[in-house]
Amino acid sequence: MSTLPKTSRPAKSATTTEPPPRPSTLTDARLRVVLLVSVHAGAEERFLHAYEQLSQQVAAVPGHISDQLCQSIENPSQWLITSEWESAPPFLSWVESPEHREMVKPLHGCVEDTRSLRFSVLRETFSAKEAAGRRAAPPVQLAPRVGDGLVRHALTFTVKPGSSRCVAKILADYAAPEARVDENTRLCRTSLFMSGNRVVRAVEVKGDLVAALRHVARQPEVRAVEEAINPHLEEDRDLDDPEAARDFFMRAALPVVHHLTADPSRPPNLRRHMLLYPVKEGCGPAVASLLARQDDLAVTKPKAAMASDGGEGQHTIVSSTVFQRDDIVVRMVDMDVPLDRDLAVAAGVSGPRAAAVLGRLLDARLLDAGANGKKKIDLSSEAGLRRFLTDCDMEPVTDRRAADY
């Protein structure tokens, strides 16, 4: 955790005028998932049979609307699976579950390669006849979000008690891998943070994320680091066993559930922070949804409100990414002001009532301060927000960027 300096700037008042909340991409828009699949030659029938079994199971998952299986008319080895979901949280909860990992095992022997893409539904069009006969559909995303051309992904794992310093040194000292993957893909940035015995590593890629991750895994310097930290991991792994390695990295995956960029030009001298939220059991999706809404609000608030914070013409948060798996929720923010300049925005509670709602979803016992007998987390006062951010702000270990990023 980090230590915030004291400043004379007060916490934002709950009476500050805010724009009306807009629908959240995470919870209020339908989700379309596209899975590109390369099937081994001769395994098409086995793949089709495995899909038919899987589709029957998926149909019973809460939040699932429909799915389709398509085969390329040009290359029979190329397949496409599309599915539609009521919103992102039901899909993310299912796809990261042990049940999902068991469901898809029959596909492993048939499939050579996959690529998964996830989209919120922005607009849709029907013929006049079909539109007249359709019942009201779940909502679509109302407005497009600004992008910066990057795809993000994170991994998280825990190390054995007492080994954090050793692991941090290993992870900080290795030589950076080659940034260029191919003519279309390059590794732009890798940020690694620790809090207690938990490690979070986030990557930003221009192009194909899967290709970039495979490129990194093949680099000798990266392989040496992974082998060096193996004895320190709480969960054993065998990187020489492809199936065991795949299972480990699937369990360690911390997917992006929300991202927004206020300024895609990436202004210089931004401050990057990784906040690890102490989530109550079963509340991970709710916390991720709340943080997504609050960051939408913070980025879209009027410039007049920003000027009152002393940052005329600038956004306090330039970029925000929420990663979530089960009850592990991490929020990575790039800020153009110190973390304590606007405590509520930094904590993700800039809107009315957000502090009270988030406070009910968090568990003080998971923070260092919880050991002192504190029963709840105070997000309503400057002192409480400052203490909360100090506890949640993870320690940076390394932040590597490509030379032209």
Side-chain angles (χ1 to χ4, degrees):
M1 69 187 67
S2 66
T3 301
L4 297 178
K6 290 187 175 293
T7 67
S8 59
R9 182 175 296 274
K12 285 186 64 175
S13 167
T15 61
T16 300
T17 302
E18 304 284 359
R22 65 178 184 174
S24 167
T25 303
L26 179 60
T27 59
D28 297 323
R30 275 175 288 148
L31 181 73
R32 181 69 51 80
V33 180
V34 178
L35 182 65
L36 306 174
V37 184
S38 296
V39 176
H40 289 297
E44 291 81 6
E45 284 293 337
R46 282 195 297 128
F47 173 75
L48 181 58
H49 177 72
Y51 168 79
E52 289 174 341
Q53 298 294 318
L54 176 62
S55 64
Q56 295 177 20
Q57 297 172 297
V58 176
V61 176
H64 176 266
I65 297 175
S66 64
D67 61 79
Q68 288 184 327
L69 174 67
C70 309
Q71 187 177 22
S72 170
I73 61 175
E74 300 169 329
N75 180 357
S77 296
Q78 298 296 316
W79 296 66
L80 173 70
I81 301 174
T82 65
S83 62
E84 188 168 333
W85 297 75
E86 292 175 357
S87 62
F91 168 77
L92 295 170
S93 177
W94 172 70
V95 81
E96 300 300 331
S97 68
E99 291 78 13
H100 171 261
R101 290 194 288 271
E102 287 299 317
M103 282 186 197
V104 300
K105 278 186 176 179
L107 298 175
H108 289 170
C110 315
V111 172
E112 180 178 355
D113 195 15
T114 63
R115 184 183 181 191
S116 179
L117 303 170
R118 303 161 188 182
F119 302 86
S120 56
V121 178
L122 193 67
R123 298 289 186 272
E124 58 185 353
T125 304
F126 305 101
S127 67
K129 180 178 179 180
E130 185 178 358
R134 284 179 64 92
R135 293 179 294 177
V140 297
Q141 181 183 328
L142 296 182
R145 290 173 294 139
V146 176
D148 57 6
L150 301 179
V151 60
R152 294 163 173 83
H153 185 68
L155 295 173
T156 185
F157 51 87
T158 54
V159 298
K160 295 175 181 176
S163 63
S164 297
R165 291 194 177 208
C166 179
V167 170
K169 187 175 188 309
I170 294 171
L171 294 173
D173 288 348
Y174 74 97
E178 172 61 40
R180 186 180 185 276
V181 179
D182 54 42
E183 61 182 11
N184 299 314
T185 302
R186 62 191 178 96
L187 182 65
C188 296
R189 188 171 182 176
T190 300
S191 303
L192 196 143
F193 291 77
M194 294 187 69
S195 179
N197 70 331
R198 179 164 296 281
V199 179
V200 176
R201 178 167 54 198
V203 297
E204 295 170 67
V205 172
K206 180 84 170 180
D208 187 340
L209 174 65
V210 174
L213 295 179
R214 288 175 177 167
H215 164 79
V216 170
R218 289 194 296 264
Q219 304 306 303
E221 57 270 30
V222 174
R223 181 64 184 238
V225 168
E226 297 291 351
E227 293 290 353
I229 67 172
N230 264 351
H232 303 288
L233 299 179
E234 283 197 318
E235 179 183 355
D236 292 334
R237 66 179 183 182
D238 181 1
L239 297 179
D240 294 323
D241 181 341
E243 187 75 20
R246 178 168 53 241
D247 286 346
F248 173 85
F249 286 111
M250 286 182 67
R251 290 191 298 272
L254 197 58
V256 173
V257 297
H258 185 266
H259 173 77
L260 61 83
T261 299
D263 186 350
S265 68
R266 293 191 293 273
N269 303 319
L270 294 179
R271 300 163 173 86
R272 171 159 289 187
H273 296 270
M274 190 83 78
L275 302 175
L276 176 63
Y277 287 76
V279 178
K280 283 183 179 177
E281 184 176 356
C283 294
V287 171
S289 175
L290 184 147
L291 294 174
R293 286 180 180 274
Q294 293 303 303
D295 283 342
D296 279 340
L297 180 66
V299 167
T300 58
K301 67 182 181 178
K303 287 188 176 181
M306 290 190 290
S308 70
D309 291 339
E312 185 174 1
Q314 294 181 323
H315 293 274
T316 299
I317 292 180
V318 175
S319 174
S320 169
T321 306
V322 179
F323 303 93
Q324 182 249 327
R325 188 190 76 238
D326 300 329
D327 293 330
I328 302 173
V329 178
V330 174
R331 178 167 159 263
M332 183 172 71
V333 292
D334 291 333
M335 306 181 68
D336 59 12
V337 297
L339 192 66
D340 63 334
R341 177 67 63 84
D342 190 331
L343 295 169
V345 168
V349 291
S350 58
R353 300 180 298 279
V357 174
L358 182 60
R360 291 195 294 268
L361 299 172
L362 302 180
D363 189 344
R365 294 172 299 177
L366 300 178
L367 295 175
D368 290 345
N372 296 327
K374 187 166 55 173
K375 296 181 180 179
K376 66 178 182 178
I377 295 173
D378 173 23
L379 300 177
S380 62
S381 68
E382 177 179 349
L385 282 168
R386 190 180 301 281
R387 184 166 52 245
F388 175 74
L389 287 170
T390 298
D391 288 336
C392 294
D393 193 17
M394 303 182 75
E395 291 285 353
V397 175
T398 183
D399 190 14
R400 303 170 185 266
R401 310 187 197 197
D404 56 348
Y405 176 73

